[in-house]
Amino acid sequence: CCKIYKGQRVVKKLSDRETAQFIRTTAVPPATRKKQICNIHRTNDFTQDPMLKNLQFSIAERPLHMEGRILPAPELLMDAPVQPREGVWDARRRLFYRGADINTWVVMNYNPRFVDQRSTETFITKLLHMADEKGMKFSEPVAAFGVRTPCPEQDFTRLKQEYSNLQLVLVILGRGGDLYARIKRTGDTEVGILSQCVQATNVTAIKPQTLGNILLKINAKMGGINNVLSRTGMPMILERPVMIMGADVNHPSAGDGESPSMAAVVASYDRFASKFSVEVRPQPHRVEIIQDLKEMTKNLLRSFFIYTKGHKPERIVMYRDGVSESQFQEVLSYELKAMRTACTETEVDYTPGITFLVVQKRHHT
């Protein structure tokens, strides 16, 4: 009999359910977290702790107080100006800035035991009604059917053959399993069909807020624009052609010593910085520097040229995530040089200003 001692850290990747539970447990409001920390201090009586006394450590009873300020929220523009309040804005009676046109789409119910045909039809009717209210041109689906033995690899291939101009597949999913990852891998990288997954519970218990959130995703995926910054909220940098880039490298989970790391770079290609192209590359295991950044940047610049009908960005702003302080100089010298080379290889005298920003979230200040 093997017994595992409690309290040990698990280094393997968490399941979807475990990840959701972890987020629910740790995502608490700042005021609640402050109260929890103060309670820890009070119940442990750190002022009388002999180890802290020997180390000559002292912990104040109250947190440090500092003066702060709240930055003004930028005004958004949909069919009319929208002013965010306390980090949120009410878009219930607003039209999208630019609604997408969806003419050919399919609904696949991968959970027919829980969601029957009538529930599916009711959900579709309400989704289309709200889409019309949001300014989208959303036609009835060309097909809606249940699948008792889901196989995205076969299902998406068959749909592509039956409907050559298929724009979107809406998939109703149950909880757990690997279907979501398989759907995205098949649709995005193998067959070339956009997908939108919806949990079965959101189909049977329809809420207007949930429908609105789903339409925000669908509209953006299908080439629409949900909202932009209004003229009063537009930063100066967007007054001239600029390309906003973001980059990160995703590494395999702990215990995986073979799988490649995946580098992803996105870049805006419209004047509102609301539409983005993406480039993804595999690279050697746990290598943080983006190996093929030059070619990725050239492809992203090409997308900008095509969409803006020949205009080039006068400035490039790169937001780089996932770089530790010990890697700053190495990443900067390699990746900034790769971006600059991409520009000169695109056009000999093309030297836009480049701002390279490293984004750090876990700084523990």
Side-chain angles (χ1 to χ4, degrees):
C1 177
C2 177
K3 294 183 179 180
I4 300 176
Y5 188 75
K6 67 179 181 180
Q8 297 186 69
R9 178 171 172 260
V10 178
V11 296
K12 68 177 184 179
K13 182 177 173 60
L14 299 178
S15 67
D16 292 342
R17 182 175 297 178
E18 290 168 336
T19 301
Q21 181 62 39
F22 174 78
I23 293 172
R24 280 194 296 269
T25 304
T26 57
V28 296
T32 304
R33 189 176 295 280
K34 176 188 172 184
K35 185 177 180 180
Q36 291 173 346
I37 293 172
C38 291
N39 286 339
I40 291 172
H41 183 281
R42 185 171 57 254
T43 56
N44 285 275
D45 194 15
F46 289 123
T47 57
Q48 301 301 320
D49 188 283
M51 182 176 293
L52 291 179
K53 284 184 176 181
N54 291 333
L55 292 171
Q56 297 183 351
F57 282 174
S58 62
I59 302 175
E61 293 183 6
R62 296 182 179 181
L64 180 67
H65 285 257
M66 300 182 68
E67 290 291 329
R69 62 192 178 100
I70 300 175
L71 297 175
E75 188 178 66
L76 303 177
L77 183 63
M78 298 181 77
D79 62 316
V82 179
Q83 185 64 48
R85 298 184 185 279
E86 297 181 358
V88 298
W89 59 90
D90 187 356
R92 284 176 293 183
R93 289 173 290 277
R94 299 266 69 93
L95 277 68
F96 291 138
Y97 182 81
R98 186 178 300 157
D101 294 347
I102 305 173
N103 301 311
T104 308
W105 65 292
V106 167
V107 178
M108 280 202 304
N109 182 4
Y110 273 180
N111 197 1
R113 294 181 181 86
F114 185 78
V115 182
D116 58 24
Q117 187 67 19
R118 184 175 181 179
S119 298
T120 303
E121 291 172 357
T122 302
F123 175 80
I124 294 171
T125 300
K126 292 188 176 183
L127 183 71
L128 295 182
H129 178 72
M130 183 171 284
D132 183 63
E133 292 179 344
K134 294 289 186 183
M136 298 176 66
K137 295 180 180 178
F138 212 151
S139 302
E140 292 280 344
V142 294
F145 48 87
V147 182
R148 293 193 174 275
T149 54
C151 181
E153 295 80 5
Q154 296 179 7
D155 297 336
F156 274 67
T157 302
R158 177 173 53 81
L159 289 174
K160 184 73 171 179
Q161 294 171 348
E162 292 182 12
Y163 308 100
S164 58
N165 57 344
L166 185 61
Q167 296 172 272
L168 176 73
V169 178
L170 189 145
V171 185
I172 301 172
L173 287 177
R175 291 196 175 277
D178 63 346
L179 280 175
Y180 177 84
R182 291 168 60 192
I183 288 168
K184 293 302 177 182
R185 183 180 64 249
T186 303
D188 294 349
T189 66
E190 297 176 7
V191 182
I193 300 177
L194 292 174
S195 59
Q196 177 61 53
C197 295
V198 181
Q199 286 289 342
T201 51
N202 291 328
V203 176
T204 55
I206 304 171
K207 298 178 181 178
Q209 183 179 1
T210 303
L211 291 177
N213 290 339
I214 292 171
L215 288 173
L216 281 170
K217 296 180 180 182
I218 293 176
N219 191 60
K221 289 177 182 179
M222 301 307 299
I225 299 176
N226 296 335
N227 54 68
V228 298
L229 293 170
S230 69
R231 287 191 175 275
T232 58
M234 188 79 71
M236 291 180 60
I237 194 171
L238 293 181
E239 293 177 359
R240 303 293 301 169
V242 61
M243 187 166 79
I244 309 296
M245 298 179 67
D248 195 10
V249 179
N250 186 270
H251 300 293
S253 58
D256 185 339
E258 298 181 356
S259 298
S261 294
M262 298 299 294
V265 183
V266 299
S268 64
Y269 59 85
D270 71 330
R271 65 190 183 97
F272 300 115
S274 62
K275 289 176 173 287
F276 283 76
S277 297
V278 61
E279 290 283 320
V280 181
R281 298 282 193 283
Q283 59 183 45
H285 179 78
R286 292 205 166 273
V287 172
E288 182 58 41
I289 294 176
I290 301 177
Q291 304 293 294
D292 202 24
L293 184 59
K294 184 183 76 171
E295 290 303 318
M296 297 166 85
T297 303
K298 287 170 68 175
N299 290 340
L300 294 169
L301 284 169
R302 195 171 297 116
S303 296
F304 191 100
F305 298 160
I306 293 172
Y307 187 84
T308 59
K309 295 180 171 58
H311 291 283
K312 297 185 291 293
E314 297 177 7
R315 178 167 291 279
I316 297 174
V317 180
M318 164 67 95
Y319 291 91
R320 178 68 161 90
D321 193 16
V323 180
S324 63
E325 291 187 21
S326 62
Q327 297 173 307
F328 278 0
Q329 194 57 46
E330 184 182 10
V331 169
L332 183 64
S333 60
Y334 182 90
E335 296 187 357
L336 184 60
K337 181 180 179 182
M339 293 172 63
R340 180 63 70 192
T341 305
C343 294
T344 54
E345 288 188 5
T346 300
E347 191 173 299
V348 177
D349 297 325
Y350 178 47
T351 56
I354 298 178
T355 303
F356 197 101
L357 302 171
V358 174
V359 182
Q360 287 189 305
K361 300 183 291 293
R362 301 182 184 91
H363 44 68
H364 297 298
T365 54

